[in-house]
Amino acid sequence: MFGWPFFMTPGSSFSAAHEAPLLFATLLLLVVAVVLAQLAEGGIDVKALALLGVLTAIGAVLRPLGAGLAGLETVFFLLVVAGRVLGPGFGFVLGSTTLFASALLTGGVGPWLPFQMFAAAWVGLGAGLLPPARGRAEVVLLAGYGALSAFLYGFAINLSAWPFVLGGDTALSFDPAASAWTNLHRYVLYDLATSLGWDAGRALTNAVLIAVTGRVLLATLRRAVRKAAFHAPVRFGPDQVR
């Protein structure tokens, strides 16, 4: 869906304002489907949903603290660490709910929000799919992923708006009559020229915050998972039946 500019043909039409509600509805269905699938498989239970609410609230509060100044965004490191500990499904849902809650908190609701929610959801999901590691190697792995995902997030978000921001008469503008390869080349140049510095700030923020807080956060979340016994089987005996 982020790559729709590469599939447009002359005469076709697309409006972010019109398509955003459809995208939001699609995302909502995906989130519900992921939660239901996780509930059915035992990956998420009521305790995990409660933790999801807590982490969503924390992320919603953290995001405005960075104010987006020079790419200093303070929410993505939490998505990475939480997705790592609690799994890709949890990370996907947390990414979308956190961006949605922070948008309500800051008044940042608009056609761009579903794209941001989707991109953040993929950041959380990807963190849960990283290979096994422990100790310092795990923190380095997460910091590297946090930096890489920052660039990919910016690349995807910019792509959703690129055809609307430049007009049609520059060397970097979207051209519906050009081939997908030509438009990809133009977009890469546009992204490097306009967003490389911003994305680098986000990547540096993610890497530093994960490096500084990663071990503590990983240990805290894993301790919370153990104490909550998310994956313990529930059995009902005679004493519990009234």
Side-chain angles (χ1 to χ4, degrees):
M1 63 194 67
F2 287 94
W4 66 264
F6 305 131
F7 302 99
M8 299 296 287
T9 57
S12 59
S13 63
F14 183 93
S15 168
H18 293 159
E19 301 299 334
L22 178 61
L23 188 60
F24 182 81
T26 303
L27 177 58
L28 185 61
L29 289 176
L30 274 177
V31 169
V32 172
V34 170
V35 171
L36 291 178
Q38 291 289 306
L39 285 171
E41 296 176 358
I44 291 180
D45 60 10
V46 174
K47 297 173 184 176
L49 287 177
L51 183 57
L52 174 66
V54 172
L55 292 177
T56 297
I58 293 174
V61 172
L62 283 176
R63 193 182 181 201
L65 296 180
L69 181 64
L72 301 178
E73 298 189 54
T74 52
V75 65
F76 292 98
F77 82 101
L78 182 62
L79 303 182
V80 171
V81 176
R84 170 68 174 181
V85 174
L86 295 155
F90 190 98
F92 182 88
V93 176
L94 179 64
S96 60
T97 56
T98 298
L99 269 288
F100 181 69
S102 66
L104 294 180
L105 189 66
T106 60
V109 178
W112 56 85
L113 179 59
F115 294 96
Q116 292 178 337
M117 292 171 62
F118 248 121
W122 287 111
V123 171
L125 183 145
L129 296 175
L130 293 173
R134 278 293 186 267
R136 184 175 299 177
E138 184 177 30
V139 175
V140 172
L141 175 66
L142 293 182
Y145 173 75
L148 175 63
S149 64
F151 286 104
L152 295 177
Y153 176 88
F155 189 86
I157 292 299
N158 291 335
L159 181 56
S160 67
W162 166 56
F164 307 110
V165 297
L166 281 184
D169 54 353
T170 75
L172 303 182
S173 296
F174 168 68
D175 182 359
S179 66
W181 176 253
T182 300
N183 275 321
L184 176 61
H185 180 253
R186 289 186 173 204
Y187 175 67
V188 170
L189 294 178
Y190 163 79
D191 187 67
L192 292 175
T194 61
S195 304
L196 181 60
W198 190 278
D199 293 341
R202 183 189 298 115
L204 181 62
T205 303
N206 287 352
V208 169
L209 287 177
I210 291 172
V212 172
T213 67
R215 295 189 68 173
V216 174
L217 281 178
L218 287 168
T220 301
L221 288 176
R222 284 179 174 139
R223 190 180 307 116
V225 170
R226 284 196 301 271
K227 288 189 174 181
F230 287 166
H231 304 297
V234 178
R235 296 187 176 87
F236 295 95
D239 295 340
Q240 285 76 35
V241 178
R242 295 285 187 269

